[in-house]
Amino acid sequence: MIEWWFAFLPMIRLSQPVIGVGLGVVLCLAACSSESDSVNSADSETAIEFELPATDAASGGQAHALPGPEDFGSVVSVSLSDSAEVDAGGQNIQSDGGTPTDSAAPPLDCLDVPGGDAEFDDCGVCDADDTNDNESCAQDCADVWGGRSTTDDCGVCDADDGNNNDTCERDCADVWDGNAVRDGCGVCDDNPDNDNTTCDEDCGGVPNGSAYVDDCGVCDADDTNDNSSCERDCADVWSGSAAQDDCGVCDADDSNNNDSCVQDCADVWAGTATTDDCGICDDDDGNNNATCSQDCAQVWGGSSRTDDCGVCDDNETNDNESCVQDCANVWGGSATRDDCGVCDDNNGNNNDTCVQDCNDVWGGPALQDDCGVCDEDPSNDCRISCDGPLLCQGEDCCLTIEVGGGSFPMGRGTENCTGCDTGCPPATSCSNNETAEHEASVSTYYLDKYEVTVGRFRNYVDSYDGTAPTTGAGAHPLIAGTGWDSDWDSELPNNSSTLSGDVACDNSYETWSASAGGSEDSAMNCVSWYEAFAFCIWDDARLPTELEWEYAAAGGDENRLYPWGSESPGTGTYASDLYGTISWSTPVGSNSLGNGLWGHSDLSGSALEWVFDYWDSTWYGNGGSSCDDCANLSSTLNHVARGGFWADTAGNLRSTRRITASAMSRSAAGGFRCARSL
């Protein structure tokens, strides 16, 4: 037996119409038996039964549409005998190797037309049109034409009216499984944005929410402040950043905003602590340091003190210039030393051994010297040379004058100055050995006011026994090598008589005489350099250096052209010279108008004067160019003489004039004066 299984068999047509009643169809080939599904091959025909709907007379006898495959289920089983088969069109199919027969009538189509091509479409319309002609017929959600399945609210396609998806819900628009949602502002649509422009988010990001940030920064709907660590700042703002600064200003500025606010002594801004008089910083107005006391200025713990002169300040020196120490070394003290040398506050003389000096001063130091002069000035002590006494212009011929030290421009400023106004007067000639002008300094010294007179030299001659000065005697205390040299001993006369004859060098112009005469107060001339130096040593003095002599003649830093100033010697009686009294024997000091700055007489005119220095025409430009208490010690046969003599012209009377002569020479034009150290 052969079985065909038809899925969704739309219908089966037979060679002969079958009329039946009912909607059910029973198909049975041969004898249906519960015991066997085979068809007996001996049977001459196949029996097929259909239970069809009855023919409707109103339809004109038209056959009804057969049930569709959905009304049969998924499988229809047809059993045929091995000897015969029926096809879908009612044709006989050869069985057992036989051939089909054409003698049977053609099958009817759905319009009952034999051999017709009309058929039922998907919508149940029977015609020869392949399309579905029932406009109201459509495919259901399962793609079945005219089917009854529908998609429910939850998207399930079936013939069940209920929603079969348990996870399906209605949206805010009451649509099952819809995508509309209610936004943060209460609008229900499928727009995710908030559609209500008046709707704002609260601090939690919830539109139209009721949450807000409280004073402590917490965002919720709770009216209280939820942060226990949150406090109000100085401006009463919860969790604010304002702070009270050191000066009491409440703001968020870290600096102190009150310009009048300062730190107290304890470095507390606007604090009340103060440093008391004793230096203690606290709020106590009293002085807390028991060792603290007031100074002389009534300042507690102050450093002021009253000095020796009664001035109260913190200066350790004595500020009162008029305050001096008394004889007891007490500053500003009243003790005095009485006439007898006793130092006390008693005005009387307490020393019984105290006597008056030559000036009637009790305990005074003044003494009457050998010359009858009573004073306490050691520079005016009676010189041996002035024994007599000897007076010049009514005063001691041995009078010596202090010359204050200083600096000045030594020498002449212009090398070739004939006819010029500076350095060398008009119509005079000057020597280049006076140049170059250079700065020189000298210490304080004494220089005799007068040139050595005949009377003074006579006292030397009378005492002279041929003994030379000791080696080193007569030295300048600040210049080594300026004392007497024993090599010079042989240059001195052997005795007084020889000396007296040697100084009578010029019968016409010598001032010396064998016996005292009318020239005793005239400048001594005809004296060699060695004799002049030996005399000064004998008289407790020395020869001046060239520096000391010019410093006195030029008036120190006044740098005078002449010892008296710049006036030409021809305009007045300034010196014993060609323009004044032309005499070799004029008494010293006769021309007071010609005195120098310190009162020395006859620095120009009268006689040339020996100085200690050796001669060097280039000294000012070489070794003497830097001169500080200097002297030329370079030994030569010649020494320097300064100043003009009694017959000289103006150019030779200048303060810078230098001449040279052999140390052994004698001349009626030459003399000397002595210097003394402090």
Side-chain angles (χ1 to χ4, degrees):
M1 185 184 65
I2 300 173
E3 291 184 351
W4 288 282
W5 300 90
F6 298 95
F8 304 107
L9 181 65
M11 63 182 131
I12 299 176
R13 293 197 178 271
L14 303 177
S15 61
Q16 295 296 325
V18 179
I19 300 174
V21 295
L23 294 176
V25 177
V26 177
L27 188 59
C28 185
L29 298 182
C32 296
S33 174
S34 58
E35 298 177 356
S36 174
D37 58 358
S38 63
V39 177
N40 190 342
S41 61
D43 294 336
S44 58
E45 62 180 302
T46 302
I48 302 175
E49 291 184 5
F50 289 95
E51 186 177 351
L52 299 173
T55 302
D56 188 355
S59 65
Q62 296 293 323
H64 290 282
L66 292 175
E70 66 275 8
D71 295 321
F72 287 100
S74 59
V75 177
V76 176
S77 179
V78 179
S79 297
L80 298 178
S81 66
D82 295 335
S83 61
E85 294 180 353
V86 181
D87 65 5
Q91 294 293 323
N92 291 328
I93 298 175
Q94 184 179 355
S95 62
D96 298 329
T99 56
T101 62
D102 295 328
S103 61
L108 297 177
D109 63 9
C110 62
L111 295 178
D112 296 330
V113 177
D117 56 2
E119 59 182 351
F120 285 100
D121 60 22
D122 297 321
C123 294
V125 176
C126 177
D127 58 19
D129 188 355
D130 291 338
T131 62
N132 294 319
D133 298 329
N134 188 346
E135 295 179 358
S136 65
C137 172
Q139 288 177 303
D140 63 8
C141 62
D143 293 333
V144 177
W145 287 97
R148 293 179 300 161
S149 294
T150 59
T151 300
D152 61 21
D153 299 321
C154 296
V156 177
C157 176
D158 58 16
D160 186 357
D161 291 338
N163 290 324
N164 300 337
N165 189 343
D166 295 336
T167 63
C168 174
E169 297 178 357
R170 296 177 188 269
D171 63 8
C172 61
D174 209 25
V175 176
W176 284 95
D177 210 25
N179 58 3
V181 293
R182 192 172 304 280
D183 61 24
C185 296
V187 176
C188 176
D189 57 19
D190 57 1
N191 186 355
D193 297 329
N194 293 324
D195 298 334
N196 189 343
T197 57
T198 62
C199 172
D200 294 325
E201 292 182 349
D202 63 6
C203 61
V206 178
N208 269 352
S210 60
Y212 70 96
V213 179
D214 62 22
D215 298 322
C216 297
V218 176
C219 174
D220 58 17
D222 187 355
D223 291 339
T224 60
N225 291 324
D226 298 330
N227 188 344
S228 59
S229 63
C230 172
E231 299 178 355
R232 295 178 189 266
D233 64 7
C234 60
D236 209 26
V237 175
W238 284 96
S239 200
S241 60
Q244 197 100 14
D245 62 23
D246 299 321
C247 297
V249 176
C250 175
D251 58 18
D253 187 354
D254 292 338
S255 60
N256 292 322
N257 298 23
N258 188 343
D259 294 337
S260 63
C261 173
V262 295
Q263 289 176 300
D264 63 7
C265 61
D267 294 332
V268 177
W269 286 94
T272 59
T274 57
T275 302
D276 61 24
D277 300 322
C278 297
I280 296 179
C281 175
D282 57 19
D283 292 333
D284 187 356
D285 293 336
N287 292 323
N288 299 336
N289 189 342
T291 62
C292 174
S293 59
Q294 289 179 306
D295 63 6
C296 60
Q298 306 300 311
V299 175
W300 285 95
S303 61
S304 295
R305 65 176 184 83
T306 302
D307 62 22
D308 299 321
C309 297
V311 177
C312 175
D313 58 19
D314 56 3
N315 187 353
E316 294 180 358
T317 60
N318 292 323
D319 299 328
N320 188 342
E321 295 179 357
S322 64
C323 173
V324 295
Q325 288 177 302
D326 63 8
C327 60
N329 294 327
V330 177
W331 287 93
S334 60
T336 57
R337 194 171 300 279
D338 62 23
D339 301 323
C340 297
V342 177
C343 175
D344 57 19
D345 292 334
N346 188 350
N347 292 328
N349 292 323
N350 299 338
N351 190 343
D352 294 337
T353 62
C354 174
V355 296
Q356 291 176 302
D357 64 7
C358 60
N359 287 326
D360 296 330
V361 176
W362 286 95
L367 295 173
Q368 188 106 14
D369 59 26
D370 296 334
C371 298
V373 177
C374 176
D375 60 23
E376 57 184 88
D377 186 352
S379 65
N380 289 332
D381 289 344
C382 182
R383 308 286 184 245
I384 300 174
S385 63
C386 288
D387 189 16
L390 298 179
L391 299 178
C392 296
Q393 304 299 326
E395 60 185 355
D396 188 1
C397 290
C398 288
L399 183 64
T400 189
I401 300 174
E402 181 179 341
V403 180
S407 299
F408 78 113
M410 188 176 182
R412 179 168 55 81
T414 306
E415 291 187 7
N416 187 7
C417 200
T418 301
C420 66
D421 295 330
T422 302
C424 192
T428 62
S429 62
C430 302
S431 174
N432 287 340
N433 61 39
E434 303 168 14
T435 60
E437 188 177 68
H438 57 284
E439 192 74 8
S441 300
V442 62
S443 299
T444 301
Y445 61 101
Y446 286 96
L447 185 66
D448 286 356
K449 179 177 181 179
Y450 300 106
E451 294 169 318
V452 174
T453 63
V454 172
R456 292 177 64 189
F457 199 82
R458 189 178 303 282
N459 287 334
Y460 173 64
V461 173
D462 290 345
S463 66
Y464 184 71
D465 60 1
T467 303
T470 59
T471 300
H476 190 298
L478 300 177
I479 307 174
T482 55
W484 182 264
D485 191 331
S486 60
D487 290 343
W488 303 333
D489 293 353
S490 60
E491 303 297 335
L492 296 176
N494 292 328
N495 52 54
S496 175
S497 176
T498 302
L499 177 58
S500 178
D502 289 343
V503 295
C505 70
D506 191 320
N507 291 331
S508 300
Y509 301 112
E510 63 193 37
T511 55
W512 174 257
S513 60
S515 59
S519 299
E520 296 302 295
D521 56 356
S522 298
M524 180 66 187
N525 59 15
C526 292
V527 180
S528 72
W529 182 88
Y530 299 109
E531 292 164 354
F533 195 6
F535 172 88
C536 289
I537 293 173
W538 170 78
D539 204 37
D540 197 22
R542 58 181 174 82
L543 282 176
T545 63
E546 187 174 15
L547 168 64
E548 290 173 328
W549 191 96
E550 185 172 329
Y551 184 78
D557 59 6
E558 290 189 13
N559 199 26
R560 295 178 175 184
L561 179 63
Y562 302 102
W564 58 84
S566 59
E567 294 84 359
S568 172
T571 61
T573 305
Y574 294 105
S576 296
D577 55 23
L578 183 64
Y579 305 98
T581 303
I582 307 176
S583 173
W584 62 93
S585 61
T586 302
V588 296
S590 297
N591 302 292
S592 60
L593 289 178
N595 288 355
L597 176 64
W598 285 277
H600 298 93
S601 297
D602 304 313
L603 288 170
S604 285
S606 184
L608 291 165
E609 299 179 10
W610 288 113
V611 295
F612 175 82
D613 296 58
Y614 289 95
W615 170 257
D616 181 358
S617 62
T618 63
W619 171 245
Y620 287 177
N622 294 314
S625 62
S626 177
C627 183
D628 185 3
D629 285 320
C630 69
N632 184 10
L633 305 180
S634 299
S635 179
T636 64
L637 292 177
N638 289 7
H639 283 265
V640 179
R642 300 298 298 263
F645 75 105
W646 47 271
D648 258 333
T649 58
N652 293 336
L653 300 175
R654 293 174 298 107
S655 300
T656 59
R657 188 205 179 191
R658 306 172 72 216
I659 65 170
T660 178
S662 170
M664 298 177 291
S665 65
R666 305 173 187 277
S667 170
F672 67 101
R673 77 177 73 213
C674 298
R676 305 169 195 278
S677 301
L678 293 176

